[in-house]
Amino acid sequence: MRRSFAVALVLATGASVLTACTGEPSPSDVAVAWSGAGKSSVRVTWKDGNAPNRITIEGVLSEGPSYVHYLPAEQDNSWDIPTSAFPPDGNYRVVVMNGTTKDGLTGKPAKSPVFDTDGPVRPSSAFAVAQGRGVLIRWTVPPAPQDFTPHDPLDVEGTKVQKYVPMIGKPGTQPAPIGPGTTSARQVINSIQPPFLFQLRTENEWSSNVGGQVVGLTSSATVFVPPKAQYSLPMRVRGRVVLQETYCAAEAACALQQTTSAGIPLTVLTQVTPKARWSPVAHGKTTAGGHFDIPVVTAGSRPYKVVASRYAKPGVLTGESSSPAVFTRGVVRLLAGGYLGGNNKKRGEMVTVFARVAPAYTSAATLQLWNRQSRKWVSVKLVALRRGQAVFGFKVNAVGTYSYRWVLPQAASGGRNMDGLTTPALDLRIRP
């Protein structure tokens, strides 16, 4: 009985000695603080019994980065983690454990207080307007998001002043600063015209942001007008406006690329007389794909061109452009024509044939009759055309069906000629 008790005592004592030899004190008092010039790293410190350690980053309500570092036992209980190892805009803590890659981990993990890695507030709603030979750009800064870890160990003490560095990207170059950082919400850029890309860059200890972007676009317009159009009737001025924007990829020179936009204001201009100044006759806007279709009332033989005006909306500024001039020749328009009292007359009855045209010009019109024998139109009478109206009265003594027409001469308008007009055949029936 005594021997059994002695053996049990030895076993119990041996187990106690094994636990004491293999178990090592876990790390404690894990702390974090800024280190390095410009807060380039986070220094982690802790306490333990000079054991080898593993250091990791743990995400709080977010996935932790795959950062792992082992330190030998002779290393001081301190390690600097590069700031770039922490993802921006999250909540994290540093975890320290005892162990090596060969023998595994022992003891319990020790964790630092939670801290956030909130990045700088991104500027938004940038709006640009032309100002002389330059551009005035305004932007807004949204309020900073709520800090869910106030007064954490890595919070920056004192007033946080966020500065924005204005940058310009031009085709063939990378975006580059054009001035020092500013706390203002406006920037005047002198002597710059599209195409360009304006950006605001800001940074804090954790990351950088680019926002407040404005794309300065150039435009080119093409236009089509009918080669001929009847006086006083609407014709369709059609075409397209194509934009060129500056596109800047990361770590590469900016380049030009084509795009289109709806809503660009357009003005149709014409030259009333050959040496007159260009004056507006219609307005419109581009639709989807940059296309436009604008009705313009024909007012004679004239050239037309379309001007894409300067156009600004949040994030976009376009320069002015003009299409080549395209000429439309006006054609005299028949307003009315026929026979007074209808085209059914008695033999020997007075017949009055008339034509009314626009513009209301004065000249001489020719009345023609269709000759069935020769199958040709034969001129019957040269009739005065007064203020756009020609009237001629005559008698027909033979029963039958006759066809007359008017040949109307050219008209002058605005120092340019308009094409004349030949009316359709006007049938006349003479009954007994």
Side-chain angles (χ1 to χ4, degrees):
M1 183 68 178
R2 292 176 181 175
R3 185 175 182 179
S4 299
F5 176 76
V7 171
L9 182 60
V10 170
L11 291 175
T13 305
S16 176
V17 171
L18 180 63
T19 302
C21 292
T22 59
E24 297 173 351
S26 298
S28 63
D29 297 336
V30 179
V32 290
W34 289 112
S35 176
K39 300 181 176 59
S40 60
S41 59
V42 174
R43 176 160 296 173
V44 186
T45 57
W46 64 94
K47 296 178 180 178
D48 68 0
N50 293 327
N53 300 116
R54 185 190 76 163
I55 300 174
T56 59
I57 301 173
E58 179 182 85
V60 180
L61 301 179
S62 60
E63 184 177 355
S66 56
Y67 179 87
V68 180
H69 189 81
Y70 286 88
L71 292 175
E74 60 270 17
Q75 175 79 31
D76 292 338
N77 292 341
S78 174
W79 180 248
D80 287 353
I81 303 177
T83 306
S84 58
F86 297 89
D89 301 320
N91 295 319
Y92 301 92
R93 54 191 169 195
V94 178
V95 181
V96 181
M97 289 190 70
N98 288 344
T100 65
T101 57
K102 179 180 179 181
D103 299 326
L105 303 175
T106 60
K108 296 181 180 180
K111 303 180 180 182
S112 73
V114 176
F115 54 89
D116 66 72
T117 60
D118 292 341
V121 179
R122 187 191 305 273
S124 60
S125 302
F127 192 89
V129 293
Q131 180 171 290
R133 294 181 55 83
V135 174
L136 168 63
I137 300 179
R138 294 188 179 94
W139 62 88
T140 58
V141 179
Q146 181 179 352
D147 186 355
F148 291 99
T149 59
H151 309 297
D152 72 50
L154 299 180
D155 270 350
V156 178
E157 299 297 330
T159 304
K160 297 181 181 179
V161 178
Q162 187 163 282
K163 292 185 178 182
Y164 298 103
V165 178
M167 306 184 70
I168 285 290
K170 297 284 286 183
T173 65
Q174 291 189 8
I178 58 171
T182 177
T183 58
S184 175
R186 67 194 302 272
Q187 179 77 30
V188 176
I189 309 175
N190 294 316
S191 300
I192 186 171
Q193 295 293 326
F196 64 81
L197 177 66
F198 173 84
Q199 295 175 328
L200 292 166
R201 180 169 294 171
T202 185
E203 60 183 21
N204 65 3
E205 304 78 21
W206 298 107
S207 60
S208 63
N209 267 329
V210 172
Q213 182 168 287
V214 173
V215 181
L217 304 163
T218 58
S219 63
S220 59
T222 56
V223 65
F224 169 80
V225 296
K228 292 186 177 184
Q230 287 192 2
Y231 181 86
S232 74
L233 287 182
M235 65 176 181
R236 313 301 301 192
V237 176
R238 297 182 174 93
R240 190 183 189 196
V241 176
V242 176
L243 306 174
Q244 293 82 36
E245 68 176 354
T246 301
Y247 171 75
C248 300
E251 306 301 328
C254 302
L256 275 180
Q257 66 179 14
Q258 287 192 348
T259 184
T260 57
S261 179
I264 297 176
L266 304 172
T267 303
V268 182
L269 303 178
T270 191
Q271 208 174 20
V272 178
T273 60
K275 295 184 179 180
R277 62 182 300 177
W278 290 89
S279 56
V281 290
H283 298 275
K285 291 183 178 181
T286 57
T287 57
H291 298 279
F292 60 87
D293 185 343
I294 305 173
V296 176
V297 176
T298 307
S301 299
R302 296 180 179 180
Y304 295 90
K305 64 181 179 181
V306 171
V307 173
S309 305
R310 290 182 181 269
Y311 173 61
K313 65 179 182 179
V316 174
L317 174 70
T318 65
E320 183 177 280
S321 67
S322 176
S323 72
V326 181
F327 194 82
T328 293
R329 191 169 182 86
V331 179
V332 172
R333 178 188 171 196
L334 178 66
L335 300 177
Y339 303 95
L340 293 179
N343 65 342
N344 197 333
K345 304 292 183 181
K346 277 187 172 185
R347 183 178 60 183
E349 184 181 352
M350 180 63 69
V351 176
T352 302
V353 63
F354 72 95
R356 185 160 57 90
V357 297
Y361 65 111
T362 297
S363 184
T366 302
L367 182 65
Q368 293 183 336
L369 171 67
W370 177 252
N371 188 306
R372 291 187 178 87
Q373 284 73 33
S374 63
R375 302 189 63 82
K376 292 181 180 179
W377 288 97
V378 179
S379 296
V380 175
K381 183 69 174 178
L382 196 64
V383 180
L385 179 67
R386 295 186 178 91
R387 303 184 65 179
Q389 295 190 62
V391 180
F392 179 66
F394 59 95
K395 291 182 179 181
V396 180
N397 294 318
V399 175
T401 300
Y402 302 87
S403 293
Y404 290 87
R405 73 177 186 182
W406 290 102
V407 178
L408 301 160
Q410 289 184 339
S413 174
R416 303 183 185 95
N417 287 332
M418 298 171 53
D419 285 351
L421 173 71
T422 299
T423 68
L426 305 173
D427 292 335
L428 174 66
R429 182 172 176 269
I430 303 297
R431 65 182 187 279

